[in-house]
Amino acid sequence: MREPGRGRVRVGAGAVAVAVATVLGLVVTGGIANADGGGSGGAGAGASSGARTGGAEITLATGQRVGVGPGGVLAGRAAGLSWRTGGDGDRYAVPPAAAPYLGRPLDRSLFDVTELAKLGAGQRIPVRLTFAAGVAPSAPPGVTLTTVDGGTAGGYLTVDSARTFGAAVRAAIGADVRAGRPAGSGELVPGLTDMRLASVAPHRVSPRYPQAIVEFRATDLAGAATTTGVHLVNTDDARRADVDVPVVDGVGRVAVPVGHYSFTASFRDFDEQGEQTGLHYVVGTDVTAEAGSTTTVPVAESAASAQVSVATPRPTVPAQAMVRFVRSDAVGGGFEDLQGVADDDALYVSPQPAAQVGTLHYVLQYSGQSPAGGEAYRYDVAFAFDHIPADESLRVADDQLATVHQHFFGDPAQAGDTGMLYSGAYDDVLAHTPTMLNPSPAQQMPGEVTDYVGTADGGGWIQAIVNGNGLPFWGQPRRYLAGHEYDVDWGRGPLAPGVGQYPEPAGCVACVAGDTFDVGLEFAVDSDGHATGFMPRGVTTSFRLYRNGTLVADRPMPYLDAELTADPAEPADFRLRYETDQTAVDTVSQATRSVTDLTFRYAPSTAVAMPAPGSCAGQSADEPCRVLPLLSASYRLAVDARNTSELATQTMRLRVGHQRYGRFGSTAPITAVRVEVSTDSGTSWQRARVAGAHGRYRVSWANPASARGSSPSLRLTATDALGGTLTQTITAAYTIAG
């Protein structure tokens, strides 16, 4: 996966210049910050530009961490995060305790994952604060002020101090609970009226449409006026209005363009520590705002009367449940809202009919673990509807399940023996940008678990892990068939840079669209084609790209790709050389170094067009993403869960082909394959026996007794009928048992 938050190499007219990256496959358009129709065009519900396949871990302003994977797939380590894709296309992750303060005083930009990704992982989070008239600005907990100008101030949070600010937010919620007040009704920081990312400018109202007033009246379960927040979006065109409306003491008002709307509101239960214990999720699918009048909309917590529950064939302990509300507008845009709870916390939703303007897509996803002390298994299931059912007590049938045997491998030197397995459902509406659930407890790694995966919504899933070294491996989207069994290996070595042969169209690693060539590799790919989301601390890399023998990019860590402009009608020879060195990383003892030297010949006929949701840099309606014919290799060593071998004669299954996304990619024949092994750190090389044809081979060689306890190196050389070559050397590819 590409390292986020960095520049890309852009090459044109013989010069090299650094350009700002559209990172992580996320839309990075301007935001719609108010309800009058300002801002830039939305990308549609759940939309993603898909231009990059990068990966990162982003820190929110309240300290929670969010993993961002291929095409903008999100995975949150914190339980109960509320996720949203706005009418602006940006994606947001809001912690439960911060939700009551959205729009008062916390601006949603503080939780804009798209915007935070542009700042870069591990960087300061710049904030701007506004205080009420007559109140001298003061620093909230965790915030360092750098400037003060009257009633406004500028400052920043760090990765560490963001946790301090988050603790203060939870403490304020806890104080409300102890005082018997609605959560979020107390003052978060004395006199603070607005806190937002400094990189997001307040929107200037310039009405472009006839306006109407919408007034929300919020009540709790007892019918008393309460404090909450409402997310209101125009369903004629989400670009006209996408706004958070604070509702204080039961009343919230906003001026919006005349038209049709949908809204969501969350009523949360908290304990005295400010942790969420339950959620009532209220949805209004069709509201009409008329000119010259005030539209009053009741928002009653009691409307969320349907309790979510899922019964599985085998007993489970609830881990997480979430509901995804995708509301498409009449012109193909829209927004997405996702709410969830952890463990056995109660989740209630409000039944709703199908939408009258645009469409409604509702998905309930559940993950449960096996009871402690027995066989390890879990369920990941999802159900989809065009309305919100009145009966949310769903039962999983055996004929709706696929059985996936998940196997987790690890490095002998890894930091720990536990990790996480994330799962996210997708379908034709959700495309390939799901948000993944992270059930607890932690998953044993190395280890294995039987995962019963639901197919009631079409069987589309994306999964990821965080391994024992704390590094994510992102899987590619795939569909499972009910009644079938699958085996999936995670982290099975040797882990080496490369491109994959993925089961479905997705964000492309090396492609061309129009005159934009984007050529790169994934940092480390395992035997099943999963790729690491980012590099471990301490690794060094070098990336060089040549076109027709001319060096056009020479970049040190962490660059894994280059983007260049060239005539797409002109054939060209490309060479890519990528080197990695992990010898300074004390939790890595295998694949400590690698050198990948890859060439391919480009001609218009060798780049295969890939349809949506496949995507790449430079893509447009007139210029499809076309997959370049890069050779790929998948190694599957006969090793144990620590990538260690007891065999006297070592075997390995080897697949050599080309970068592919389903049936899209080069099918040029493989003309030669050679594998060599070194047990003396590359001083001498012995040729291995290779049997097979058509890209699938069985390789064998001796593990000599004199090499016990050592880690041999592998070297692969392959060629194809187009003239492409791949030479890859992996130092310490696996370990021979001592």
Side-chain angles (χ1 to χ4, degrees), residues 3 10 43 49 57 157 169 257 273 302 326 344 356 451 472 503 539 623 654 692:
E3 184 76 358
R10 187 173 184 87
S49 70
E57 188 170 61
L157 291 155
V169 173
Q273 287 70 49
S302 59
V326 180
D344 58 355
Q356 297 177 21
D451 190 6
V539 68
E623 299 290 354
L654 173 66

Side-chain angles (χ1 to χ4, degrees), residues 17 83 92 297 369 631 680:
W83 308 84
Y92 301 82
V297 181
Q369 298 277 14
L631 279 163
D680 56 9

Side-chain angles (χ1 to χ4, degrees), residues 237-577:
D237 187 338
R239 294 169 295 185
R240 296 181 184 176
D242 178 353
V243 62
D244 291 303
V245 183
V247 181
V248 181
D249 296 330
V251 180
R253 291 167 62 89
V254 65
V256 294
V258 169
H260 301 95
Y261 287 84
S262 181
F263 74 86
T264 62
S266 299
F267 297 84
R268 302 172 188 273
D269 299 324
F270 294 93
D271 60 20
E272 293 186 357
Q273 287 70 49
E275 301 292 344
Q276 179 177 282
T277 60
L279 171 64
H280 284 73
Y281 181 53
V282 177
V283 173
T285 55
D286 289 285
V287 173
T288 302
E290 298 180 350
S293 65
T294 296
T295 300
T296 301
V297 181
V299 185
E301 183 177 6
S302 59
S305 57
Q307 183 173 7
V308 171
S309 67
V310 176
T312 53
R314 302 180 70 181
T316 56
V317 177
Q320 285 198 10
M322 67 181 184
V323 291
R324 299 183 70 176
F325 176 68
V326 180
R327 189 67 170 85
S328 299
D329 62 23
V331 294
F335 75 99
E336 177 183 352
D337 196 22
L338 182 154
Q339 302 287 338
V341 296
D343 304 322
D344 58 355
D345 294 345
L347 173 61
Y348 294 83
V349 297
S350 59
Q352 288 290 301
Q356 297 177 21
V357 177
T359 62
L360 183 161
H361 188 67
Y362 172 77
V363 178
L364 189 158
Q365 184 178 332
Y366 167 84
S367 185
Q369 298 277 14
S370 55
E375 175 194 348
Y377 62 86
R378 61 182 266 169
Y379 282 84
D380 289 297
V381 298
F383 298 87
F385 306 90
D386 66 355
H387 62 288
I388 302 180
D391 184 0
E392 295 284 334
S393 300
L394 301 179
R395 180 172 297 276
V396 181
D398 282 321
D399 62 3
Q400 297 172 323
L401 295 169
T403 302
V404 183
H405 302 285
Q406 309 275 9
H407 307 280
F408 308 103
F409 292 72
D411 191 298
Q414 69 184 35
D417 288 333
T418 58
M420 294 288 180
L421 171 62
Y422 296 81
S423 290
Y426 74 86
D427 55 28
D428 292 339
V429 175
L430 302 178
H432 289 164
T433 56
T435 301
M436 300 194 212
L437 292 184
N438 170 25
S440 58
Q443 173 65 49
Q444 187 73 25
M445 294 185 185
E448 56 186 30
V449 66
T450 300
D451 190 6
Y452 298 107
V453 175
T455 61
D457 63 332
W461 291 85
I462 298 181
Q463 296 186 307
I465 70 165
V466 174
N467 70 6
N469 272 335
L471 295 178
F473 276 75
W474 299 90
Q476 288 290 327
R478 66 180 301 172
R479 294 184 186 269
Y480 293 104
L481 299 176
H484 289 242
E485 292 199 30
Y486 303 83
D487 281 274
V488 178
D489 291 345
W490 295 89
R492 184 171 189 153
L495 306 178
V499 291
Q501 295 180 336
Y502 308 117
E504 295 196 19
C508 191
V509 178
C511 279
V512 58
D515 63 356
T516 301
F517 288 75
D518 192 3
V519 183
L521 298 175
E522 306 283 16
F523 170 68
V525 181
D526 68 12
S527 62
D528 267 23
H530 309 115
T532 56
F534 52 86
M535 305 174 192
R537 194 181 297 265
V539 68
T540 59
T541 67
S542 172
F543 179 92
R544 296 181 180 90
L545 181 67
Y546 302 80
R547 182 175 183 272
N548 291 333
T550 300
L551 180 67
V552 293
D554 185 357
R555 306 297 288 176
M557 177 194 176
Y559 297 90
L560 290 88
D561 69 335
E563 184 182 306
L564 58 104
T565 301
D567 184 353
E570 179 184 335
D573 291 325
F574 285 88
R575 179 189 175 198
L576 183 160
R577 183 177 175 87

Side-chain angles (χ1 to χ4, degrees), residues 4 24 56-60 63-68 112-113 116-118 120-122:
L24 310 174
E57 188 170 61
I58 305 303
T59 300
L60 303 177
Q64 292 82 3
R65 290 177 293 174
V66 175
V68 186
D112 186 338
V113 176
L116 289 167
K118 290 191 287 184

